[in-house]
Amino acid sequence: MCIRDRSDTLQLYQAHVLKVQIETLRRLKYRPTGGFCFSSLNDPAPAISSSILDHERRPKAAYETVRAACAPVLVVADPLPDDLQRGETVDVDVHVVSDLRHALDFAVVDAVVSWAAGEQRWRFGGAIPADDVVKVGRIRFDVPDAGSRIELDLTLTSGDVTSRNHYTTTIIAP
């Protein structure tokens, strides 16, 4: 494996870790923390590091992930397991995190679980209070016998507010 491949792999892993960590902290909303910080946002020289900008201030793979996870309104799901077995039943809670100073009177969340040969859909709706986290629903599905990946797409719409989130995991043979 060349250094460039290792760097790309590490950057993708960093993006995944930051997504899970920031979304978890956002879902906890002030209990026990009100935020997070970086030890450094950018590299001082060419390096493989924990920063999200390289030494020329170009975004690394995690930059967009962090930006999206810090949006004022965020629709999130419980983290999916790294891999799922065919036939396994999965339960996932879906939340909306709002840092807005005003309530969203009515929001709609669409959830789509898809795999190679099909998909399953859910829709949830209701009010989202100001500066709060709301569990809007739970999706439950059985892992199909076909395909090698499961994708979960979430979309929240409320007037001019839109939030999208995407999760993937791998299907393994039992």
Side-chain angles (χ1 to χ4, degrees):
M1 172 183 280
C2 76
I3 290 182
R4 180 68 186 157
D5 291 341
R6 182 181 300 166
S7 175
D8 291 346
T9 301
L10 290 171
Q11 284 190 37
L12 291 174
Y13 183 70
Q14 177 192 28
H16 170 74
V17 169
L18 287 173
K19 176 181 175 71
V20 171
Q21 187 175 33
I22 294 168
E23 287 183 1
T24 299
L25 291 172
R26 297 278 315 271
R27 203 169 43 248
L28 293 173
K29 192 98 171 149
Y30 313 127
R31 299 174 301 266
T33 183
F36 62 92
C37 65
F38 287 91
S39 60
S40 62
L41 287 175
N42 60 276
D43 294 332
I48 295 175
S49 73
S50 62
S51 70
I52 59 174
L53 299 169
D54 72 9
H55 68 288
E56 293 180 348
R57 308 312 186 258
R58 291 180 304 219
K60 293 182 180 180
Y63 182 84
E64 184 58 30
T65 300
V66 170
R67 190 198 64 71
C70 293
V73 176
L74 181 65
V75 59
V76 297
D78 291 340
L80 295 173
D82 290 335
D83 48 42
L84 299 169
Q85 292 190 3
R86 289 168 171 44
E88 180 179 356
T89 299
V90 179
D91 284 308
V92 178
D93 288 337
V94 177
H95 295 82
V96 174
V97 180
S98 176
D99 292 339
L100 298 176
R101 293 182 180 195
H102 63 277
L104 298 174
D105 293 329
F106 189 77
V108 174
V109 173
D110 290 302
V112 180
V113 171
S114 57
W115 56 94
E119 67 180 24
Q120 197 170 345
R121 295 177 169 269
W122 295 262
R123 177 170 268 189
F124 310 104
I128 308 297
D131 196 30
D132 205 355
V133 176
V134 177
K135 178 182 168 186
V136 295
R138 172 175 280 179
I139 61 176
R140 182 182 189 125
F141 62 94
D142 294 325
V143 178
D145 290 333
S148 61
R149 297 185 67 71
I150 292 274
E151 298 193 23
L152 168 58
D153 288 296
L154 301 172
T155 303
L156 171 139
T157 53
S158 177
D160 61 348
V161 175
T162 301
S163 175
R164 290 183 175 82
N165 214 332
H166 178 80
Y167 303 88
T168 62
T169 191
T170 305
I171 301 172
I172 60 172

